[in-house]
Amino acid sequence: MTARSSSLPPYCPNPRCRYHTEPSRDWPWKRAGFFTRLAAPQRIQRFQCRHCRRHFSTQSFSTTYWLKRPELLVPVLHRLLGCSGFRQIAREFDLSPQTVLGLSARLGRHCLLFHARYRPRGPILEPLALDSFQSFEWSQYLPTLYHLVAGRSSHFCYGFTDSECRRSGRMTAAQKRRRAILEAGLGRPDPRSIEREVASLLHLVAPEPQMMELHTDEHQDYPRALRRLRHLTIEHHTISSRAARTSRNPLFEVNLLDLLLRHGGSHHKRETIAFAKRRQSAIERLAIFLVWRNWMKSFSERRRDASPAMRLGLADHRLPAAEVLAERLVPSRVALPPRWQPYYWREVRTRYLGRPRRPHRRVFAA
Ligand SMILES: [Zn+2]
């Protein structure tokens, strides 16, 4: 994996053009003038594909396309990982919170494609630890679980899926009444969601038949999820969730992931006012977290050693944010698993709020 250094266009940005997915040396393109913009560099080279006649520019291949302030993308990435809420980030850079929301969505969707593009292929050779991380969207009446799976020797997080859940646990009579009113109006989450989504996660990280050693807690839905995966031979080990959460716990790797996620993300703190208003937005931040955890962060920050991706032989150095953001990735050139398509296209509904704002369907600017 290398950052694109040349200013020559690498492929035609038109998804319907034959030179989009199969760029070749004989791809006919020409330079077609410049345009100017306020941000540096101010003069942007334009091109035209001679095959499909589409115009594009060097910006078409940059993660900062259409941004008025392209210099903010890297610092905002770090702030999102460093426990700032959207409002704090907005104040620091003199932006509106909506702009930060937009940058977070852009970064999250890029990171989702980055993970899909560079995650390991082929069978998983290390034991896995799986857990469901609990948070909520909008209000405590809409709990969410994020199912995460991590490699026990590399600490690489292979992926995630999410489930809406019903509020449970101890509630006052008034809270039960409120839940009944909300459920009458908004419907109830699918009680089979955990089972379905855990199966979907393991299918996504191991699509081909293989043996797998899997460690989880004793949640009753996990064995049911595994029975849905007929193509996998799974050796399933369970441990009580009350067992001490030390490094000897077989779920240590995924517990650590939960801990880092809560530590770095203001929206997952307990008793916070920075909680996620929408699951869609929390998913985008989770994708950013995943790329940071796998590709940017040392195994041990004190020793500044290898990242999980380096431990798997996927990279030879820890990637700085600028390298993660060096090349724009587009869904028409990355095989995004079907379960992640709604995450990328912002189709995750929050019951109180409906669908989030849609992204531009047109992938490339002229
Ligand atoms: Zn073309």
Side-chain angles (χ1 to χ4, degrees), residues 4 8 19 39 45 74 100 121 125 132-133 140 146 163 168 179 226 228 231 233 241 261 275 277 324 343 353-354:
R4 207 170 36 77
L8 300 181
Y19 294 102
Q45 173 76 55
V74 169
V100 181
R121 304 287 161 200
L125 303 173
S132 301
F133 172 89
Q140 304 259 16
Y146 297 99
S163 288
S168 57
R179 183 179 75 170
L226 304 192
R228 290 178 175 228
H231 72 295
T233 311
S241 49
L261 191 55
F275 55 83
K277 307 302 177 286
V324 169
Y343 294 169
L353 302 170

Side-chain angles (χ1 to χ4, degrees), residues 14 23 82 105 131 165-166 236 270 275 277 293 316 320 361:
N14 176 4
D131 193 30
C165 310
R166 192 174 187 216
H236 186 201
R270 297 191 193 273
F275 55 83
K277 307 302 177 286
R293 171 66 178 142
D316 60 7
R361 272 277 171 180

